[in-house]
Amino acid sequence: MKMVFDLDGTICFSGKPLSSKMIQALDFLVNDGHEIIFASARPIRDLLPIIPEHMHSYSMEQVHNEEKRVVEKIIIFLIL
């Protein structure tokens, strides 16, 4: 299953890197066969410092609407 996670204010805060608990949770999902996709209003180059190096190959999407405002509430969290 593909799972999309918004970064800023959802799974990381104040521009700080992902927490170790969040990294463990995402690693668990990947090891369970899920695909992780990161979404953010930031340019992709600005995502790399907050994501661990082993996740740099994951899909990343820069998400904006026509007026260049962040599209909010685009993420559906699936809890299995």
Side-chain angles (χ1 to χ4, degrees), residues 13-41:
F13 302 91
S14 302
K16 295 181 181 176
L18 294 176
S19 70
S20 59
K21 286 186 178 185
M22 183 55 67
I23 293 168
Q24 289 174 351
L26 294 171
D27 285 342
F28 176 83
L29 292 171
V30 170
N31 291 333
D32 202 35
H34 302 286
E35 180 183 350
I36 301 299
I37 302 168
F38 294 115
S40 179

Side-chain angles (χ1 to χ4, degrees), residues 56-67:
H56 285 188
S57 63
Y58 293 8
S59 295
M60 298 179 204
E61 296 292 332
Q62 185 179 9
V63 183
H64 285 78
N65 67 12
E66 302 80 30
E67 298 174 1

Side-chain angles (χ1 to χ4, degrees), residues 1-5 25-26 28-29 32 34-36 74-80:
M1 179 178 299
K2 293 182 180 186
M3 297 185 177
V4 181
F5 293 91
L26 294 171
F28 176 83
L29 292 171
D32 202 35
H34 302 286
E35 180 183 350
I36 301 299
I74 61 166
I75 308 305
I76 298 173
F77 288 97
L78 300 172
I79 301 173
L80 302 176

Side-chain angles (χ1 to χ4, degrees), residues 7-8 39-51 60-64:
L7 289 169
D8 296 314
S40 179
R42 295 180 188 215
I44 301 300
R45 70 177 180 273
D46 294 344
L47 299 181
L48 299 177
I50 62 172
I51 297 172
M60 298 179 204
E61 296 292 332
Q62 185 179 9
V63 183
H64 285 78

